[in-house]
Amino acid sequence: MHPDNARFTRASDARAAIRAGRWLTHTSGLAPANVQGNLVILPAAQASDFLRFCQANPKPCPLLAVSDVGSPMLPSLGADIDIRTDVPAYRMYREGVLCADGLPDIRSLWRDDLVSFVLGCSFSFEHALIEAGIPLRHVAQGRNVAMYKTDIATTPAGPFHGPMVVSMRPMKAADAIKAILVTARTPRVHGAPVHIGDPALIGIADLGKPDFGDAVDVRDDELPVFWACGVTPQAVVMAAKPSLCITHVPGHMLITDLLNSELPFA
Amino acid sequence: MHPDNARFTRASDARAAIRAGRWLTHTSGLAPANVQGNLVILPAAQASDFLRFCQANPKPCPLLAVSDVGSPMLPSLGADIDIRTDVPAYRMYREGVLCADGLPDIRSLWRDDLVSFVLGCSFSFEHALIEAGIPLRHVAQGRNVAMYKTDIATTPAGPFHGPMVVSMRPMKAADAIKAILVTARTPRVHGAPVHIGDPALIGIADLGKPDFGDAVDVRDDELPVFWACGVTPQAVVMAAKPSLCITHVPGHMLITDLLNSELPFA
């Protein structure tokens, strides 16, 4: 956690600082009671296929909100949210190629055919796991979670298709059972795991070599537990090479007014 | 399933036949929508310790009902239930020694200090698993479920103590995750599993050699999933050698008016 993150416990305060350009770093620990979201912005020409892709693949692509075409507002996530200014850092891709990284706002890029998608992120379910007393090794070790490409196919929609990416957290069996029950309560932030146990059964050759993030040990008395990961839609969108795509910089999320505590009932 | 079991789809019809001595065999498949229960009858002198034991160990000992001292009725399970006649076959133990097996009723044994305990049984959660589309190998193969003594200690109460007995069902990972979610909804019939994966971690040396029931294969793409088992209280009670104990004959259960479909909300 950033040493100053404790300054902003309210979502509206955190967003105001981000909007004013006074907060340009990652959002881990900011407004900890609030749901944070991944951002994908696409032209309307691709948006309906991407919406169908998310609908068909809710575990890797749990949609929290979709904007009106051309509108930068997301009123269901917060009355004042302007997606052009309310994320600390943006990336811009053209035809799948990264063209700008770390943009503080996207006002100059905005077009009246853009559609914003906000997807749930694992910060919310990790919060629930920790609240349930389940230790998370990557958190204890200050590492990023380990993520792997699998041979689990997503359901394609238009140009969007590709394998599911998963995150892995090692747990003792009793904690794994509890973690399945805890995360199943929040389908809007990836829901229950997609796999448990032998990684080879989902096409992962070596847990010690994650495709993204950092490796962590799996001890003899633990099982690896695998959740669908928000990296899946990012990889799928890049592979489809849309004319324009804008995302957040990893870890630099949209802070919403939704509460983690309300997600099981939302 | 007994070929005639389909004759009695209503609990009250099945109980009437049992009460009249027209049904003396096992109850698998009888009144399939209804919850069936395990029976333990103890003198009042031991009953309060056994009640505390069940309260402290709800996974192996999920109490559906406890009678008043001396009363053979269990109105919360069915207005007409008389526990002296409504089970197809009984066993009677003195000081932990089996003295009578297959008794058709226990009217002549009844005393005004006896207390009846009815505990949930895995018939109910297996029904829920099958409804959820999860194959159960022992059911497909017409075998009894495999059961094992573990090194998981129960919480003792008075003379009642001993290791937890578990039942094991092999499943693919995706079905295991689903099975955890399905069975967690019914804590009154053992609830979520107590272990998944490596049997050695709970003191089971060889899955091929169950302590009770029949062995089934665990395939390479499957995990063994372990639930607390109703054999636990039976073993614990026998080891405590109460002056008198009456139980059902295994598989010859009390059919209640509770519905399996209502158990998640009961």
Side-chain angles (χ1 to χ4, degrees):
Chain A
M1 191 188 301
H2 189 289
D4 286 343
N5 286 16
R7 283 192 296 163
F8 298 115
T9 56
R10 287 176 48 182
S12 54
D13 292 345
R15 277 203 306 274
I18 290 166
R19 190 176 304 152
R22 292 185 283 111
W23 191 275
L24 301 171
T25 184
H26 71 77
T27 53
S28 171
L30 265 189
N34 287 75
V35 175
Q36 301 196 14
N38 296 294
L39 176 64
V40 175
I41 300 175
L42 288 169
Q46 281 81 47
S48 94
D49 279 336
F50 187 64
L51 182 51
R52 284 198 302 120
F53 183 81
C54 293
Q55 190 280 328
N57 298 284
K59 285 204 156 188
C61 310
L63 272 179
L64 291 173
V66 185
S67 73
D68 285 342
V69 177
S71 170
M73 312 307 282
L74 289 156
S76 67
L77 301 183
D80 65 326
I81 289 177
D82 184 329
I83 204 62
R84 298 171 298 188
T85 54
D86 286 9
V87 163
Y90 298 82
R91 284 180 171 172
M92 191 264 284
Y93 299 80
R94 293 194 189 278
E95 312 290 345
V97 176
L98 182 66
C99 296
D101 196 8
L103 297 170
D105 71 75
I106 53 166
R107 279 177 289 202
S108 63
L109 295 172
W110 196 255
R111 303 186 335 203
D112 63 7
D113 70 333
L114 293 183
V115 178
S116 299
F117 296 83
V118 179
L119 295 98
C121 106
S122 60
F123 283 5
S124 295
F125 84 68
E126 292 192 340
H127 180 265
L129 292 172
I130 292 166
E131 291 274 303
I134 299 170
L136 297 178
R137 182 149 313 130
H138 71 283
V139 173
Q141 297 186 341
R143 300 186 199 177
N144 195 356
V145 72
M147 293 167 272
Y148 306 86
K149 293 178 191 165
T150 70
D151 62 9
I152 305 171
T154 58
T155 302
F160 302 109
H161 61 90
M164 190 185 293
V165 177
V166 297
S167 60
M168 187 280 291
R169 293 162 187 81
M171 296 181 186
K172 291 182 194 244
D175 283 338
I177 291 166
K178 204 198 280 190
I180 289 168
L181 297 175
V182 167
T183 57
R185 298 176 70 215
T186 52
R188 296 178 80 186
V189 287
H190 302 304
V194 294
H195 186 62
I196 179 168
D198 187 355
L201 292 173
I202 56 169
I204 299 171
D206 184 353
L207 284 182
K209 294 178 182 166
D211 295 296
F212 312 96
D214 305 319
V216 295
D217 294 337
V218 181
R219 297 178 184 153
D220 285 347
D221 62 350
E222 294 178 329
L223 291 155
V225 189
F226 300 90
W227 278 267
C229 175
V231 170
T232 310
Q234 295 174 29
V236 160
V237 168
M238 294 315 132
K241 302 191 196 311
S243 58
L244 174 68
C245 177
I246 300 169
T247 71
H248 64 296
V249 172
H252 298 57
M253 318 296 277
L254 176 68
I255 297 172
T256 76
D257 283 354
L258 303 181
L259 294 173
N260 288 317
S261 58
E262 287 177 355
L263 271 182
F265 318 109
Chain B
M1 193 189 299
H2 189 288
D4 286 344
N5 286 16
R7 284 190 296 162
F8 298 115
T9 56
R10 288 176 48 184
S12 53
D13 294 344
R15 277 203 306 272
I18 291 165
R19 191 177 305 153
R22 293 184 284 111
W23 191 274
L24 301 170
T25 183
H26 71 77
T27 53
S28 172
L30 265 189
N34 287 75
V35 174
Q36 301 195 16
N38 296 294
L39 175 64
V40 175
I41 300 175
L42 289 169
Q46 281 82 46
S48 98
D49 280 336
F50 187 64
L51 183 51
R52 285 198 302 118
F53 182 79
C54 293
Q55 190 279 329
N57 298 283
K59 287 204 154 188
C61 310
L63 272 180
L64 292 173
V66 185
S67 74
D68 285 344
V69 177
S71 169
M73 312 307 281
L74 289 154
S76 68
L77 301 182
D80 65 325
I81 289 177
D82 183 328
I83 204 63
R84 299 171 296 187
T85 55
D86 285 9
V87 163
Y90 299 81
R91 286 181 168 171
M92 191 264 284
Y93 300 80
R94 293 195 189 278
E95 311 289 346
V97 177
L98 181 66
C99 296
D101 196 8
L103 297 171
D105 71 75
I106 53 166
R107 278 175 291 201
S108 64
L109 296 172
W110 197 255
R111 304 184 338 201
D112 64 7
D113 70 334
L114 294 183
V115 179
S116 300
F117 296 84
V118 180
L119 296 97
C121 106
S122 61
F123 284 2
S124 295
F125 85 67
E126 292 191 342
H127 181 267
L129 292 172
I130 291 166
E131 290 273 303
I134 298 169
L136 296 178
R137 182 150 310 132
H138 71 283
V139 174
Q141 298 186 341
R143 301 186 196 175
N144 195 355
V145 73
M147 294 168 273
Y148 306 86
K149 293 179 191 164
T150 70
D151 62 8
I152 305 171
T154 57
T155 301
F160 301 109
H161 62 89
M164 190 184 295
V165 177
V166 297
S167 60
M168 186 282 290
R169 294 161 186 81
M171 296 183 186
K172 292 182 193 245
D175 283 338
I177 291 166
K178 204 198 278 190
I180 290 167
L181 298 175
V182 168
T183 56
R185 298 175 70 215
T186 53
R188 296 178 79 186
V189 287
H190 301 307
V194 295
H195 186 61
I196 179 168
D198 187 356
L201 293 173
I202 56 171
I204 300 172
D206 184 352
L207 284 182
K209 294 179 181 165
D211 295 295
F212 312 96
D214 305 319
V216 295
D217 295 336
V218 181
R219 298 178 184 154
D220 286 348
D221 62 349
E222 293 177 331
L223 290 157
V225 189
F226 300 90
W227 278 267
C229 176
V231 170
T232 310
Q234 294 174 28
V236 160
V237 168
M238 295 315 132
K241 303 188 196 311
S243 59
L244 174 67
C245 177
I246 300 168
T247 71
H248 64 297
V249 173
H252 299 56
M253 319 295 277
L254 176 67
I255 297 173
T256 76
D257 283 352
L258 303 181
L259 295 174
N260 288 317
S261 57
E262 287 177 355
L263 271 182
F265 319 108

